[in-house]
Amino acid sequence: MQTQFDRQKSSAGSKLVHLSALYLFIYYGLGAFTPLIMQYYQSINLTGTQIGLISATTPIVSIVTQPLWGMICDKFQIRKGVLVLTLLVSGLIGLLFPAVSTFALVLILYTLLSVFQSAVVPVSDSIALGYVKKYQLQFGDIRMWGAIGFALAAFVTGLLIEKWGPSVIFISYFAAMVAAILFLQRVPVETAAAPKFTTSMLAGIKDLLKLPRFLLFLAASFFVFGSINANNIWFSLYYQEIGGTVAGVGLAFLLFAGSEAPCMKLAGYCARRWGLELTILLAASVSAVRWFWYSSAPSTTAVIALFFIQGISVGFYLATAAQFVRENTPAALQVTALALFFSVGHGLGTMLCNLTAGWIKDTYSTLSIYLFFGSVTILGLIPLLLIRFGPWKAVEEKEDVGVTG
């Protein structure tokens, strides 16, 4: 006869499988879309400045929409419903891209996509973090399936583009979003349970910005995440400029994102042994070195051979950043904190990097873009060093954040 402990263990394992599959397909969609969208832009003859403006749309929109999505999730406790809605609508909007070919229409469509797509990562992360906290696991163990999905999508879609053209990007994106919804349905609502939200969005943000460690981490993420996300857009163009092919771009992202999965697992070990701060500091330092190296125009063989640099930099950072936010913010403001974190790093930081990269591409060269990325990441190391070695180096006792009605 199955004991209660066995049933609980079986239920926990089932949730882990469904959450892992959810991440696999969410990031499969993102992996088909983000690193290869440059092929679509080139097919309709957009300039570097136009690409920079379009790429900056998601960050600009997310500055407003991510905190709003977070507020809705926290206040009404409907994370699962919000995630289903945003996955479905963003997938449907993606299908419309092959029908447009002018800068103005692409910009409008991308803006609409961004409104819904901006909720997907922070809301799915909040659901997974609830599970991680309940069962005392490492977030990286679930998040690594996203890296696997991203890697597979970039490789497969890169091959398909050479055969059938850029429209494959949007079909793949839609199919992955639908698959993610199917697995999300099997994630119990209680997985996303959180303390009752009783504050306004503005009051919550105000309270969060009173926390020095969180504020410093927002500043670091502005620079570090900004360049990481912008690289996903510009790498395709960069790789072809140094002699690569579209299929080679897919192979590169397969190896890059594929290296993230084991590194995310390793990040959990490093975080337990040396702490989150040092693990994140290592990831950001490796990122800076990587961007400066790319600016020196290495051979495509060297870029592919040193693919694991992506895992050490991006994999470590992604596996630990959300956990740092959770451990350094009040439980009642968890989703809002994550949404604010994504708005600053994936929002403002990415906006700056994409807009500047577009201008640099038209004015100087694609190689100069990576010199800029390296310089920006160096700036991000400063607040990380203050977190680890400055006045707030000790893990602070969370203050009783005033929650107002």
Side-chain angles (χ1 to χ4, degrees):
M1 181 178 293
Q2 193 178 40
T3 65
Q4 183 178 358
F5 174 77
D6 290 333
R7 287 193 295 272
Q8 290 177 341
K9 187 175 180 181
S10 175
S11 175
S14 176
K15 293 174 185 175
L16 180 59
V17 169
H18 297 145
L19 278 169
S20 298
L22 172 67
Y23 269 76
L24 178 74
F25 285 105
I26 285 176
Y27 282 89
Y28 189 98
L30 296 176
F33 192 97
T34 307
L36 295 165
I37 190 67
M38 186 66 74
Q39 304 308 314
Y40 166 71
Y41 293 152
Q42 288 183 305
S43 73
I44 58 175
N45 301 313
L46 296 183
T47 67
T49 301
Q50 288 174 330
I51 293 170
L53 287 169
I54 292 171
S55 300
T57 298
T58 294
I60 293 170
V61 169
S62 71
I63 293 168
V64 176
T65 58
Q66 282 183 332
L68 286 174
W69 286 120
M71 179 193 70
I72 291 169
C73 289
D74 280 340
K75 188 169 185 178
F76 300 104
Q77 291 299 291
I78 51 171
R79 302 184 198 190
K80 186 175 174 181
V82 165
L83 190 53
V84 169
L85 172 69
T86 53
L87 286 169
L88 179 60
V89 176
S90 64
L92 290 171
I93 293 173
L95 289 177
L96 300 177
F97 275 87
V100 301
S101 58
T102 64
F103 168 67
L105 290 177
V106 173
L107 182 61
I108 292 170
L109 204 55
Y110 208 91
T111 301
L112 290 174
L113 174 70
S114 301
V115 170
F116 293 92
Q117 194 183 68
S118 65
V120 171
V121 172
V123 176
S124 59
D125 279 357
S126 70
I127 291 174
L129 285 167
Y131 177 88
V132 165
K133 183 177 181 180
K134 182 175 181 180
Y135 294 100
Q136 297 182 331
L137 300 173
Q138 289 294 321
F139 175 65
D141 293 342
I142 296 173
R143 178 59 180 79
M144 71 175 183
W145 287 99
I148 293 171
F150 194 98
L152 288 173
F155 178 62
V156 173
T157 309
L159 293 176
L160 294 177
I161 286 173
E162 290 205 327
K163 189 171 184 179
W164 288 303
S167 61
V168 171
I169 295 170
F170 310 107
I171 296 171
S172 299
Y173 178 73
F174 173 75
M177 296 300 102
V178 171
I181 290 171
L182 295 177
F183 282 100
L184 177 60
Q185 296 306 309
R186 295 178 174 272
V187 176
V189 175
E190 60 266 25
T191 302
K196 186 177 180 180
F197 185 89
T198 57
T199 185
S200 69
M201 179 186 69
L202 292 178
I205 291 175
K206 183 179 178 181
D207 288 334
L208 288 168
L209 295 181
K210 293 177 182 177
L211 305 174
R213 286 167 64 82
F214 178 66
L215 190 58
L216 285 168
F217 194 64
L218 287 183
S221 297
F222 174 86
F223 295 112
V224 177
F225 258 135
S227 56
I228 286 174
N229 289 330
N231 170 66
N232 288 336
I233 295 292
W234 295 98
F235 180 82
S236 176
L237 182 64
Y238 165 80
Y239 189 78
Q240 291 177 82
E241 186 164 309
I242 62 173
T245 63
V246 178
V249 172
L251 174 62
F253 272 104
L254 171 67
L255 294 173
F256 289 164
S259 73
E260 290 177 20
C263 284
M264 284 180 180
K265 190 81 173 177
L266 180 61
Y269 168 79
C270 292
R272 289 190 298 270
R273 185 173 180 85
W274 295 298
L276 286 173
E277 291 92 340
L278 281 179
T279 304
I280 293 170
L281 190 56
L282 170 64
S285 300
V286 173
S287 281
V289 172
R290 179 191 184 190
W291 305 144
F292 283 126
W293 178 55
Y294 276 11
S295 72
S296 69
S299 68
T300 56
T301 302
V303 170
I304 294 294
L306 295 178
F307 69 91
F308 56 86
I309 295 177
Q310 169 102 0
I312 299 173
S313 56
V314 181
F316 272 39
Y317 208 97
L318 289 175
T320 52
Q323 190 168 340
F324 181 92
V325 172
R326 179 177 65 81
E327 293 184 5
N328 289 272
T329 56
L333 298 174
Q334 212 81 106
V335 178
T336 304
L338 282 168
L340 184 59
F341 160 66
F342 278 105
S343 291
V344 172
H346 293 261
L348 286 170
T350 306
M351 175 189 69
L352 168 69
C353 287
N354 277 322
L355 286 173
T356 308
W359 173 76
I360 290 174
K361 191 265 179 187
D362 286 344
T363 308
Y364 298 101
S365 68
T366 304
L367 292 178
S368 298
I369 291 175
Y370 283 86
L371 185 61
F372 167 70
F373 287 169
S375 301
V376 162
T377 305
I378 289 293
L379 292 177
L381 290 175
I382 297 172
L384 289 177
L385 288 169
L386 288 174
I387 289 172
R388 182 63 183 86
F389 302 106
W392 305 281
K393 63 181 179 180
V395 177
E396 297 173 327
E397 293 248 347
K398 290 194 184 82
E399 297 178 12
D400 229 358
V401 176
V403 182
T404 57

